[in-house]
Amino acid sequence: QVQLVESGGGLVQPGGSLRLSCAASGIIFSLNTMRWYRQAPGKERELVAAISSGGSTDYGDSAKGRFTISRDNAKRMVYLQMSSLKPEDTAVYYCNAINSAVLGARNYWGQGTRVTVSS
């Protein structure tokens, strides 16, 4: 049974920081690319950050310079450190896992953690 469980969401003030965590089970974690997506009401789901099995990172334009993705293979965890948060960062954040080296590999998703940036 594949399970991704996000945590760390909540209410934060503009300019503040928040750290999201994703715990993975049921996959060979070290072989998977891990990603964070987010979706706000009325908006398309967008890629926030990604980290490959080798540790290479990629960020969406909205996250560059503010967010940092990292992983701990021993703990089977992926993190998203967010700083300088803006109201436009308000969304449900989803953890995603995929073995991108395998053609037709399936995406796995967590149920999301809600982040609200508001005064």
Side-chain angles (χ1 to χ4, degrees):
Q1 183 74 34
V2 176
Q3 189 171 13
L4 304 176
V5 181
E6 302 95 336
S7 62
L11 176 65
V12 64
Q13 300 292 309
S17 298
L18 205 62
R19 190 194 197 199
L20 306 183
S21 300
C22 173
S25 61
I27 61 170
I28 304 175
F29 182 82
S30 62
L31 300 182
N32 277 255
T33 292
M34 304 299 297
R35 299 182 177 95
W36 287 97
Y37 287 83
R38 70 185 185 188
Q39 189 166 27
K43 295 185 177 180
E44 299 288 332
R45 183 178 61 186
E46 66 171 328
L47 175 69
V48 178
I51 184 165
S52 73
S53 61
S56 298
T57 59
D58 190 32
Y59 297 92
D61 289 340
S62 63
K64 292 177 181 176
R66 299 190 299 130
F67 296 0
T68 301
I69 189 171
S70 61
R71 67 191 297 159
D72 186 332
N73 288 345
K75 296 181 178 179
R76 302 174 60 82
M77 298 283 290
V78 61
Y79 308 97
L80 184 68
Q81 179 66 50
M82 305 185 292
S83 62
S84 301
L85 285 163
K86 306 172 182 178
E88 63 204 64
D89 295 317
T90 296
V92 177
Y93 285 71
Y94 297 94
C95 183
N96 167 272
I98 188 169
N99 188 339
S100 58
V102 177
L103 292 177
R106 297 178 180 178
N107 282 274
Y108 297 99
W109 298 89
Q111 65 183 56
T113 184
R114 187 179 302 275
V115 173
T116 302
V117 184
S118 176
S119 298

